[in-house]
Amino acid sequence: MVDVYPPSEDTYLLMRAAISEASAGDSVIEIGCGSGVISASLIGKVRSILATDINPHAVRAAASLGIPAVRADLFHGINSKFDLILFNPPYLPTEDGLDLNPEDDRWLSTALDGGADGREVIERFLKGVKNIMSPRGRLLLLISSLTGLDEVQELARRSGFNTEIVAMERYFFEELYVLKLRRAE
Amino acid sequence: MRRDLMEILVCPVCRGDLELEVFEENEREILTGRLTCRSCGEVYPIEEGIPNMLPPELRERR
């Protein structure tokens, strides 16, 4: 049984992008922190860090690494502005459902399942995330080619963001991307 | 959770202000407690030092 998504290639790709993007004055929030290793890698490098996850096992894991953690649905319940927002969302399309044991691995499924087109959670996230973004805020979003790079960039544009690819890695079945979003002028 | 986290938490249902009750606290943080929305009355538990800001319909999964 897997309670928390174990750090994987996507985790480390977003971690490297976050370390390279973060500056000492940033207040940072990580949405969907999972094990908490990305937030932990920023401790001491930024002004403040906060982590949220919907999974109780994940927020406990993050708290045990010394990160202030809140159990929440995305950012709902958080009323503040952040300079850097990190999100490794559930991004896999699951037309036929994920091939996981639904009872044992239900939290793993929550971590991966992006709905029929892979973009359901991302779409919901992009609609509200400006409320927690400071004027100079940046957002790093991890996605896969399976999520649809063009489609996600279009969603971001429609939500009022400029997008830029800041990291990419190729694997057998997919490419992983880190997109950097800022408010469109 | 540390007490200063109160400055940024709001009710996820109605965005109302929250009232804090502390049941257990050490020198660093609140371990057990309860947050109650002053507007809609919804209650959010703090357990093992972590506030649970999920709306009631999402809260039951463990």
Side-chain angles (χ1 to χ4, degrees):
Chain A
M1 174 161 131
V2 182
D3 281 334
V4 181
Y5 181 69
S8 307
E9 287 88 351
D10 53 350
T11 315
Y12 294 112
L13 188 64
L14 182 58
M15 182 192 287
R16 290 194 295 276
I19 291 170
S20 125
E21 178 64 34
S23 62
D26 283 337
S27 61
V28 183
I29 187 167
E30 183 181 10
I31 308 295
C33 64
S35 62
V37 295
I38 295 177
S39 287
S41 75
L42 296 175
I43 291 176
K45 297 189 175 77
V46 295
R47 181 158 58 85
S48 66
I49 181 136
L50 180 68
T52 76
D53 204 295
I54 196 169
N55 174 349
H57 308 285
V59 283
R60 277 199 294 269
S64 76
L65 297 177
I67 301 146
V70 176
R71 190 175 177 201
D73 175 27
L74 300 177
F75 36 68
H76 299 290
I78 309 287
N79 182 32
S80 188
K81 306 282 186 195
F82 298 88
D83 304 315
L84 180 60
I85 300 167
L86 309 173
F87 190 30
N88 182 357
Y91 56 70
L92 292 179
T94 54
E95 217 154 329
D96 306 314
L98 285 169
D99 189 18
L100 297 170
N101 180 331
E103 201 36 52
D104 284 352
D105 289 330
R106 56 210 168 129
W107 285 116
L108 187 60
S109 158
T110 299
L112 298 171
D113 187 349
D117 65 6
R119 298 186 293 275
E120 279 179 12
V121 181
I122 294 170
E123 197 164 355
R124 207 159 62 79
F125 172 82
L126 287 175
K127 273 187 186 144
V129 71
K130 267 191 183 165
N131 294 329
I132 59 157
M133 195 177 213
S134 71
R136 68 183 191 96
R138 303 92 75 206
L139 159 59
L140 297 182
L141 176 69
L142 189 132
I143 60 159
S144 157
S145 47
L146 302 172
T147 323
L149 177 62
D150 293 345
E151 288 84 348
V152 172
Q153 288 187 299
E154 178 56 29
L155 279 177
R157 272 191 291 275
R158 266 192 269 145
S159 298
F161 294 103
N162 291 325
T163 72
E164 177 192 351
I165 299 168
V166 293
M168 196 271 270
E169 269 181 6
R170 225 179 281 278
Y171 295 92
F172 286 117
F173 300 106
E174 60 180 340
E175 290 99 48
L176 297 177
Y177 299 93
V178 177
L179 298 181
K180 177 175 167 180
L181 278 61
R182 317 182 75 127
R183 287 167 196 272
E185 293 303 319
Chain B
M1 61 173 266
R2 285 170 38 160
R3 274 182 180 265
D4 59 10
L5 197 60
M6 281 306 293
E7 291 163 24
I8 68 164
L9 295 181
V10 292
C11 176
V13 177
C14 76
R15 298 184 63 80
D17 285 341
L18 300 165
E19 183 163 324
L20 169 68
E21 289 168 90
V22 176
F23 304 146
E24 194 187 356
E25 185 174 17
N26 64 20
E27 59 289 337
R28 237 183 93 242
E29 61 174 1
I30 299 158
L31 298 172
T32 314
R34 181 162 68 187
L35 300 164
T36 305
C37 178
R38 289 197 175 97
S39 300
C40 73
E42 193 54 62
V43 175
Y44 303 93
I46 304 168
E47 289 163 349
E48 298 176 64
I50 299 170
N52 182 346
M53 302 312 294
L54 291 179
E57 69 271 16
L58 294 178
R59 200 178 291 157
E60 293 312 313
R61 279 176 73 190
R62 294 199 170 266

